[in-house]
C-alpha cells in the first residue's frame, strides 16, 4: 500500500491567502509610519525656518520684506521646496511687520489634521483655511487645505 503525502490545492490557496493578508498589513503599516515620519520632519523644518527667520530679521526690528526667495538668498533656507503640501507656499510679514506667517497650501486632510494636532510652541497662533484654530476642525476633506503658522 502506497502512502502519499502532500498538500491539497485548498491548503495551498489558504496559505497564499494568509500570506497576502500579512503582506498587505505590513505594507499598510509601513506607509503609515512613513507618512508620520515625513510629517514629523516637516514640522521640525518649519520650526527651523521660524528660528532662522527670527535670527535673520532680528537686527532690522521687523519682518517687512520677508519671503521665501529672500530667505533663500540670505542663506536661511537651502531651497524653495515646501516642507509639506503643494509647491506654492510662502513666508509673509503682517501689515505692521511685527509678525510673520509661514503659509502651507495644497495640504491633504491627513496633513492638515496632523499639523493641527501637533501643538507647536514656536508659533504664536495657527490659522487653518482662514480660520483661527479653536475647538472646531477646519480641515477640508477635499485635499486643498491651507495652514498658516503665525510667529510674533
Amino acid at each position: 500500500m502506497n502512502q502519499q503525502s502532500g498538500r491539497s490545492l485548498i491548503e495551498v490557496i489558504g496559505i497564499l491567502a494568509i500570506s497576502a493578508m500579512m503582506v498587505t498589513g505590513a505594507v499598510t503599516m509601513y506607509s503609515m509610519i512613513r507618512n508620520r515620519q515625513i510629517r514629523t520632519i516637516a514640522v521640525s523644518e518649519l520650526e527651523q525656518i521660524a528660528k532662522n527667520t527670527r535670527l535673520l530679521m532680528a537686527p532690522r526690528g521687523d519682518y517687512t520684506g520677508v519671503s521665501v526667495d529672500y530667505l533663500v538668498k540670505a542663506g536661511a533656507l537651502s531651497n524653495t521646496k515646501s516642507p509639506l503640501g503643494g509647491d506654492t507656499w510662502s513666508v509673509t510679514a503682517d501689515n505692521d511687520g511685527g509678525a510673520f506667517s509661514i503659509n502651507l497650501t495644497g495640504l491633504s486632510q491627513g496633513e492638515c489634521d496632523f499639523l493641527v494636532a501637533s501643538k507647536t510652541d514656536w508659533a504664536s497662533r495657527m490659522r487653518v483655511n482662514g480660520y483661527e484654530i479653536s475647538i472646531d476642525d477646519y480641515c477640508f476633506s477635499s485635499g486643498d487645505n491651507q495652514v498658516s503658522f503665525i510667529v510674533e
Side-chain angles (χ1 to χ4, degrees), residues 4 6 15 18 21 44 61-62 67 75 78 101 126-127 136 143 146:
Q4 293 184 1
I15 290 171
I18 291 170
M21 286 189 288
S44 177
D62 67 357
S67 68
S78 59
S101 63
M126 220 171 141
R127 190 176 300 128
D136 296 326
Q146 179 178 2

Side-chain angles (χ1 to χ4, degrees), residues 8-50:
S8 70
L9 183 59
I10 298 296
E11 290 173 326
V12 171
I13 290 173
I15 290 171
L16 289 175
I18 291 170
S19 299
M21 286 189 288
M22 292 176 67
V23 167
T24 302
V27 168
T28 303
M29 184 61 76
Y30 171 76
S31 176
M32 288 173 39
I33 291 169
R34 183 175 173 271
N35 286 339
R36 182 162 181 86
Q37 188 64 28
I38 288 171
R39 293 170 183 165
T40 302
I41 290 170
V43 169
S44 177
E45 287 178 13
L46 290 169
E47 180 178 11
Q48 193 61 44
I49 290 169

